Amino acid sequence: DAKTTQPNSMESNEEEPVHLPCNHSTISGTDYIHWYRQLPSQGPEYVIHGLTSNVNNRMASLAIAEDRKSSTLILHRATLRDAAVYYCILRDVGTGTASKLTFGTGTRLQVTL
Amino acid sequence: DTEVTQTPKHLVMGMTNKKSLKCEQHMGHRAMYWYKQKAKKPPELMFVYSYEKLSINESVPSRFSPECPNSSLLNLHLHALQPEDSALYLCASSQDPGTQPQHFGDGTRLSIL
């Protein structure tokens, strides 16, 4: 399985943009890039996903490098409620194992006033 | 509030007890999942049900027995558990077993005495 690498932790000030990086240098052509987050005392929550093009939704934006070896989750204005562990996950639609979400260690985001 | 409901929220049991965890969703999803999450670790996949049939068992010990009685319900039967099985057990569902986002419940926190 292709692996992802994320920083262990990041800090942000409230109402500032946050850029959460993810490296996936061994990504295959059939890997989708998914982001989930887990707030304290809750189950993981889907944030966004993409294949090649940048993606936007109401929660965040996903910027994917042209060679697809890295991606960045962008929170446009961090709030205290965005403090969570953010997971970058690759899902391979080419091998029949797409249903498996393999979580890495993720990035713990702290948001301060 | 999540759309995947797990009961009970907390469970304490002895090593000789038999108990069950329950998960319910009414989103019409046809894939359901069990994950185990130890403290300060990422979730780990245990089982995948696709269209009410077990499709993935991640080499989980037989003291954990999943059951999918219908497309809305997923149970996890527990018997003769060990103290190291104490963890947060998360249920998730998705529209299909492909790359659709998974929706998680908030989990059952299980403690084995």
Side-chain angles (χ1 to χ4, degrees):
Chain A
D1 292 342
K3 299 284 187 236
T4 62
T5 304
Q6 300 177 253
N8 287 335
S9 62
M10 291 184 66
E11 281 190 27
S12 173
N13 295 321
E14 200 177 20
E15 299 192 5
E16 297 283 324
V18 182
H19 291 233
L20 297 163
C22 181
N23 286 322
H24 28 78
S25 58
T26 60
I27 192 169
S28 74
T30 51
D31 277 322
Y32 278 76
I33 302 161
H34 283 244
W35 283 82
Y36 283 73
R37 71 180 186 181
Q38 188 170 20
L39 279 65
S41 302
Q42 294 188 21
E45 173 186 31
Y46 166 79
V47 178
I48 200 166
H49 78 279
L51 183 62
T52 55
S53 304
N54 295 343
V55 184
N56 300 299
N57 66 21
R58 64 175 179 81
M59 288 182 71
S61 295
L62 176 60
I64 301 172
E66 198 169 328
D67 63 6
R68 301 210 323 127
K69 293 185 185 300
S70 66
S71 60
T72 302
L73 179 71
I74 302 166
L75 307 179
H76 296 287
R77 285 179 73 231
T79 69
L80 295 177
R81 197 194 170 280
D82 292 320
V85 179
Y86 287 78
Y87 297 101
C88 170
I89 301 168
L90 300 182
R91 299 185 73 180
D92 188 350
V93 300
T95 62
T97 60
S99 58
K100 296 174 64 168
L101 273 185
T102 301
F103 289 82
T105 51
T107 296
R108 182 173 297 278
L109 176 66
Q110 289 182 287
V111 180
T112 54
L113 292 170
Chain B
D1 288 347
T2 66
E3 295 167 316
V4 175
T5 304
Q6 291 189 242
T7 54
K9 292 193 187 307
H10 301 274
L11 178 63
V12 179
M13 59 186 285
M15 289 189 283
T16 59
N17 292 156
K18 286 186 181 181
K19 296 285 185 184
S20 297
L21 309 185
K22 181 179 173 182
C23 175
E24 196 165 359
Q25 58 87 13
H26 295 288
M27 295 178 281
H29 289 175
R30 302 313 302 271
M32 297 186 76
Y33 313 80
W34 281 114
Y35 290 81
K36 174 181 178 179
Q37 185 172 26
K38 300 282 280 183
K40 300 192 186 302
K41 297 289 188 184
E44 294 179 339
L45 182 67
M46 299 174 72
F47 302 104
V48 178
Y49 270 83
S50 174
Y51 297 91
E52 299 160 51
K53 293 191 187 311
L54 183 65
S55 61
I56 295 177
N57 175 341
E58 292 285 90
S59 302
V60 178
S62 60
R63 58 185 184 270
F64 294 92
S65 175
E67 178 197 19
C68 189
N70 60 57
S71 60
S72 301
L73 280 176
L74 186 66
N75 297 320
L76 186 63
H77 302 298
L78 315 172
H79 173 56
L81 295 194
Q82 304 297 308
E84 61 265 28
D85 296 322
S86 297
L88 181 68
Y89 288 85
L90 293 160
C91 173
S93 70
S94 64
Q95 201 165 11
D96 59 44
T99 59
Q100 292 298 312
Q102 293 185 14
H103 298 249
F104 285 79
D106 287 335
T108 293
R109 189 162 299 282
L110 176 66
S111 297
I112 307 299
L113 301 178

